[in-house]
Amino acid sequence: MQRAQPIEQILYISTVSPRETVDLPAILAVARRNNDADAITGLLMFNGKRFLQVLEGPQDAVERTFERIRRDSRHRAQVVLARKTVEQREFGEWSMAYRDRSHRDGAEIVNDICSKTAAANPNLRAELVAFARQLQE
Ligand SMILES: Cc1cc2nc3c(=O)[nH]c(=O)nc-3n(C[C@H](O)[C@H](O)[C@H](O)COP(=O)(O)O)c2cc1C
């Protein structure tokens, strides 16, 4: 029997390009459409200056998607913080969850990220929670 393709997970940060007015609803609409079609799940956070994104799914699809995202001129200085193969998805229920500073619900964001990432690797979880905390500042 053929083994299922491994699930690859990429966590990266990037910086919004100078003079770029970020149209997040547009980015999210395209991301969700493509990610649904490619069985990619994940999380995108934006603090007004930096993006933090987790992409996970079949290896080929994640590589292809990340290559497209890397070339996107709306952001720059993409730095991969973690790249690994996981046994199962850690963000399975999110086609591309999203949080930014307009989520003024403060502690609720941090709690949400904490509970949704309970199964995630502790280092990855710490990165996400720290970024989510920054959104409150
Ligand atoms: C911060 C950021 C995150 C993005 N995330 C995704 C994503 O998760 N999936 C995706 O397909 N495109 C994402 N994009 C958009 C891609 O860079 C690219 O514009 C898009 O995939 C092109 O899709 P199209 O050929 O269907 O128009 C993102 C762009 C930015 C700036």
Side-chain angles (χ1 to χ4, degrees):
M1 203 167 74
Q2 211 183 345
R3 261 178 75 86
Q5 231 196 102
I7 297 294
E8 182 172 22
Q9 189 184 75
I10 294 179
L11 165 69
Y12 76 87
I13 52 166
S14 65
T15 306
V16 67
S17 296
R19 292 174 296 279
E20 182 71 37
T21 311
V22 179
D23 182 354
L24 273 160
I27 292 176
L28 282 169
V30 169
R32 286 176 177 149
R33 188 196 62 212
N34 290 343
N35 295 358
D36 267 350
D38 290 336
I40 290 176
T41 49
L43 165 72
L44 177 65
M45 290 195 257
F46 182 55
N47 67 5
K49 186 173 180 231
R50 282 177 171 274
F51 294 102
L52 182 147
Q53 188 172 32
V54 180
L55 296 166
E56 64 181 13
Q59 200 161 20
D60 296 352
V62 168
E63 299 284 346
R64 259 195 331 265
T65 300
F66 188 54
E67 269 318 299
R68 267 200 326 269
I69 295 173
R70 244 188 206 296
R71 288 196 301 265
D72 195 315
S73 62
R74 289 173 287 189
H75 63 165
R76 64 194 175 100
Q78 295 88 351
V79 177
V80 175
L81 298 176
R83 183 180 207 133
K84 61 177 181 156
T85 302
V86 290
E87 286 292 316
Q88 56 187 30
R89 290 171 192 265
E90 293 174 347
F91 301 90
E93 75 234 62
W94 291 347
S95 105
M96 189 45 67
Y98 173 66
R99 286 291 179 275
D100 75 1
R101 289 183 303 184
S102 70
H103 294 83
R104 296 238 175 265
D105 36 7
E108 194 263 333
I109 300 170
V110 176
N111 288 339
D112 191 27
I113 299 293
C114 278
S115 67
K116 290 276 197 336
T117 58
N121 159 291
N123 293 334
L124 171 66
R125 188 173 185 229
E127 297 275 7
L128 297 173
V129 171
F131 198 93
R133 284 218 169 93
Q134 271 182 23
L135 297 181
Q136 295 179 260
E137 286 162 8

